[in-house]
Amino acid sequence: MRGLGELESAVMNVLWEAGEPVRVRDVLERLDTGKPLAYTTVMTVLDNLHRKGWTAREQHGKAYHYTPASSREEASTRALREVLGSSADPEAVLLHFVASVSDEETELLRGALRKKRPHRR
């Protein structure tokens, strides 16, 4: 995910897959990074994600319960918007993207464009 480090992305994947609020301990138990992590490391990552606006949290007793602030699809859309917004030539970016998509993705894109409502000004 653009804008996130490797561990932050892994933590967000746990949150998106959980489907319910989770504690730091729950995230730690579900993380599969290939290396052992300290509880405090995961707690710091979740705190950073909260500060960056990626997570919401509610305190229950002494523990916070974390949820994603947006869906995986919304976060992906935000990342795409950032890429387009950072380019001096967004048309060229879109054209390169379209040239790279599979036949199946082309059909998905065509269907999405047919459903798109025009912007009202």
Side-chain angles (χ1 to χ4, degrees):
M1 195 60 44
R2 182 173 161 83
L4 295 179
E6 189 175 327
L7 185 53
E8 289 175 323
S9 291
V11 168
M12 286 306 301
N13 284 331
V14 169
L15 294 178
W16 282 316
E17 291 168 8
E20 63 185 6
V22 291
R23 300 168 303 154
V24 174
R25 176 113 7 243
D26 302 323
V27 174
L28 178 61
E29 290 171 357
R30 297 175 191 183
L31 268 175
D32 184 18
T33 62
K35 57 185 174 185
L37 295 170
Y39 177 93
T40 54
T41 300
V42 176
M43 182 175 65
T44 299
V45 170
L46 281 163
D47 188 56
N48 289 341
L49 287 168
H50 178 72
R51 188 176 35 79
K52 292 177 179 181
W54 284 88
T55 67
R57 68 183 180 193
E58 285 189 24
Q59 193 162 7
H60 295 273
K62 293 182 180 183
Y64 282 114
H65 289 173
Y66 290 86
T67 56
S70 58
S71 71
R72 185 187 313 261
E73 294 76 17
E74 290 167 329
S76 296
T77 299
R78 188 170 59 237
L80 288 170
R81 296 288 334 148
E82 288 174 15
V83 168
L84 286 174
S86 69
S87 173
D89 190 353
E91 180 181 8
V93 172
L94 286 171
L95 290 172
H96 282 285
F97 173 74
V98 168
S100 73
V101 299
S102 69
D103 290 342
E104 181 181 333
E105 291 165 333
T106 298
E107 290 308 311
L108 289 171
L109 193 53
R110 282 187 177 135
L113 289 170
R114 280 191 294 272
K115 292 177 187 175
K116 182 181 181 303
R117 295 183 186 146
H119 286 299
R120 295 192 176 151
R121 295 178 191 226

